[in-house]
Amino acid sequence: MAPETQPYARRWQALGVLALSLLVITMGNTILNVALPTIRESLDATSSQLQWISDGYLLVFAGLLLAAGSLGDRFGRRRALVAGLTVFGAGSLFATFADSATTLIAARAVMGLGAAFVMPTTLSILTNIFPAGERPKAIAAWAAVSGIGVAIGPTSGGWLLEHFDYSSVFLINLPIVAAALAGAALLVPESRDPDSPRIDYAGAGLSIAGLSAIVWGLIEAPERGWGSPTILGAFAAGAAILAAFMAWEQRTDHPMLDVSVFRNLRFSAASLSIGFVFFALMGVMYFMTQYMQTVLGFTALETGIRVLPIAGGMVLASKVSVALSQRLGTKLVVAGGLGTVAAALWLVAGFEADSAYAPIGTALGMMGLGIGLAMSPATEAIMGSLPRAKAGIGSAMNDVVREVGGTLGIAVLGSLLTSGYGSTMDGAVAGLPASGAEAASDSIGAAHEVAGQLGGSAGDTLLGAANQAFVDAMATTATIGAVFAVVGALIALVFLPARAGGTSMAGAELAPAAA
């Protein structure tokens, strides 16, 4: 790796390769969501199987992130990127030819394994090839791409499903992976931790077990109940294992993660801010796509196009976040971004069953703008808190917070939405047969199916009641999401230092951020 005074000459071209690699894996789940109804029909999949076709990817991905980031630091980050892309492409090919739900779940797990190596290496390579003066701008571009992948997944998935069968949502990954592999070979330099530390096998095992238990609990909690002994046991086991991981990392002479970094509020407060950002983003995407497709009646492609203002807002934010952070400091920009997210959610809480698109597009654009403003400087703060030799594990930590925050957002906000909808529907289904009443109270999609079977005025009445129940539940859920965003903004204001090497408002001394 060239010294800081002689930065890598083709770093901006390499950033394009890293962005392409990041884009294909961030689309991995959102592009699938619009295909799930088609997959259910084609593979005769049960509801549980559909859930794990989506969540099997997430569980493997989130569980392996810390270990994958550490291995990239040890053996080479470009090598980890190439290996991850290869495995992700193989999983996508496997999924394309899957002839059963069980096979598709296995293929999705392979894709998650590949993604766990790709995501942290993109940011760690970026951190190592860009000099300190250019790094915030490069990280802003990286952050914009990571959000854009979430937003354009439904659009591309909707278009593919209108022209091809469901396997196309996996097949589309292959040319992107091939282009990224070619670009990595030509443009991305190798880098690694020069100390070549021994592999922390115990730390890797504990991190995988602990994160997997927590993420599994979050995935299953909405179905099994947050107070279920199984879920509480998973959370307790995950917390205990992660506590053992932290204790082990403090005593081993070759730790995978230097836990003392959590005392640096530039790292820990920025990590919390990232968590709140993705809590809001993934939670909102979960219920907004249902609202637009089911209540407003848009197709999958029409819905995908209508969520693009999120991507537009993030691109705009990436262009201004660096200048704003330099002028105002990280603290105010991150807090302002989360405040903007809260304002957008407050607008969402006012949507009706027949709302025009203009206020919806405005709210989504504000959401993207707020997320972009908060995410770029918070990510730069996390990466700037660690020495460049440990960029892989730092990037992995950033990704863990993103994934846990996003999973928590879907689980918590999804549970609140389902609970609010079901309780409101109790009166509307009173005269229906038991099976129809249970289905209509369970989800708005099922309520629309039951209404179609009833037909006539009875069907219209049920349809109107279901749409209104969903909108009422969405209003409550969005309001609670706004409260979470405000809490995140307050955390940033109180604890996040304005500049590297500064002192927080709480008075804690911080270690200088590494260049």
Side-chain angles (χ1 to χ4, degrees):
M1 179 67 219
E4 187 82 354
T5 54
Q6 297 178 338
Y8 177 58
R10 295 193 288 179
R11 58 194 178 279
W12 292 105
Q13 294 95 322
L15 178 60
V17 177
L18 301 178
L20 191 64
S21 304
L22 180 64
L23 183 67
V24 72
I25 64 165
T26 53
M27 289 173 56
N29 246 12
T30 57
I31 196 173
L32 175 72
N33 290 339
V34 297
L36 288 176
T38 307
I39 291 172
R40 179 179 58 190
E41 297 174 7
S42 300
L43 299 181
D44 195 25
T46 66
S47 296
S48 176
Q49 287 173 325
L50 283 177
Q51 178 184 354
W52 282 103
I53 288 170
S54 176
D55 292 337
Y57 173 93
L58 175 62
L59 183 63
V60 175
F61 178 38
L64 291 175
L65 275 169
L66 284 180
S70 176
L71 290 172
D73 283 342
R74 171 64 177 81
F75 292 107
R77 300 178 185 112
R78 184 178 68 174
R79 183 178 296 176
L81 176 65
V82 169
L85 285 169
T86 302
V87 172
F88 185 86
S92 299
L93 185 62
F94 184 16
T96 300
F97 294 104
D99 58 0
S100 70
T102 302
T103 305
L104 186 53
I105 291 169
R108 291 280 296 162
V110 173
M111 293 172 66
L113 172 62
F117 281 87
V118 172
M119 194 164 200
T121 53
T122 58
L123 185 55
S124 60
I125 291 170
L126 180 159
T127 301
N128 275 268
I129 64 177
F130 280 91
E134 293 178 346
R135 200 174 301 139
K137 186 180 293 185
I139 287 177
W142 179 94
V145 170
S146 68
I148 288 169
V150 173
I152 68 172
T155 308
S156 54
W159 186 86
L160 288 168
L161 290 173
E162 286 198 358
H163 296 83
F164 308 100
D165 66 24
Y166 78 87
S167 64
S168 61
V169 302
F170 306 113
L171 192 61
I172 191 63
N173 294 334
L174 298 181
I176 302 175
V177 166
L181 285 171
L186 294 172
L187 297 170
V188 177
E190 185 61 280
S191 65
R192 57 171 56 88
D193 186 342
D195 293 335
S196 296
R198 286 185 294 161
I199 299 175
D200 180 10
Y201 290 105
L206 289 169
S207 74
I208 292 170
L211 287 171
S212 297
I214 294 292
V215 173
W216 182 89
L218 291 174
I219 291 170
E220 287 289 308
E223 180 70 24
R224 297 173 182 255
W226 290 90
S228 161
T230 302
I231 297 303
L232 293 177
F235 288 149
I241 294 170
L242 289 179
F245 166 72
M246 300 290 276
W248 171 258
E249 296 302 283
Q250 288 179 303
R251 59 177 292 189
T252 182
D253 58 357
H254 53 282
M256 189 172 78
L257 174 66
D258 181 4
V259 296
S260 66
V261 73
F262 289 102
R263 293 198 293 269
N264 183 339
L265 292 183
R266 187 166 166 80
F267 178 90
S268 53
S271 296
L272 279 175
S273 297
I274 290 285
F276 278 103
V277 165
F278 274 82
F279 180 95
L281 173 61
M282 300 308 294
V284 167
M285 290 294 291
Y286 174 79
F287 62 72
M288 281 301 294
T289 51
Q290 291 186 66
Y291 169 67
M292 286 194 278
Q293 283 187 265
T294 309
V295 177
L296 299 183
F298 295 125
T299 66
L301 177 57
E302 290 170 340
T303 298
I305 292 171
R306 283 165 173 78
V307 300
L308 285 178
I310 289 182
M314 294 190 71
V315 170
L316 177 61
S318 72
K319 294 180 180 297
V320 301
S321 63
V322 175
L324 285 175
S325 296
Q326 290 172 345
R327 182 173 181 178
L328 303 176
T330 303
K331 174 196 298 287
L332 291 180
V333 176
V334 173
L338 282 162
T340 304
V341 170
L345 286 168
W346 180 80
L347 291 178
V348 171
F351 291 169
E352 300 290 347
D354 58 352
S355 288
Y357 178 68
I360 297 172
T362 300
L364 292 176
M366 287 177 59
M367 174 74 65
L369 185 65
I371 288 169
L373 286 175
M375 186 164 65
S376 299
T379 301
E380 198 281 327
I382 291 170
M383 298 308 295
S385 302
L386 295 167
R388 287 165 57 182
K390 301 297 183 183
I393 192 66
S395 176
M397 191 67 213
N398 172 72
D399 297 335
V400 165
V401 172
R402 285 164 50 111
E403 295 307 314
V404 172
T407 305
L408 188 60
I410 294 172
V412 172
L413 298 184
S415 292
L416 290 170
L417 185 75
T418 301
S419 176
Y421 169 81
S423 62
T424 305
M425 284 294 288
D426 286 343
V429 301
L432 297 178
S435 59
E438 182 179 357
S441 296
D442 184 58
S443 74
I444 188 171
H448 276 237
E449 292 180 6
V450 173
Q453 294 168 2
L454 288 175
S457 60
D460 290 341
T461 300
L462 178 61
L463 199 63
N467 287 346
Q468 191 58 50
F470 186 89
V471 168
D472 291 343
M474 187 174 74
T476 302
T477 302
T479 301
I480 294 172
V483 171
F484 274 97
V486 169
V487 171
L490 292 174
I491 289 173
L493 280 175
V494 174
F495 296 108
L496 184 60
R499 313 279 178 186
T503 304
S504 77
M505 289 177 66
E509 292 296 331
L510 302 173

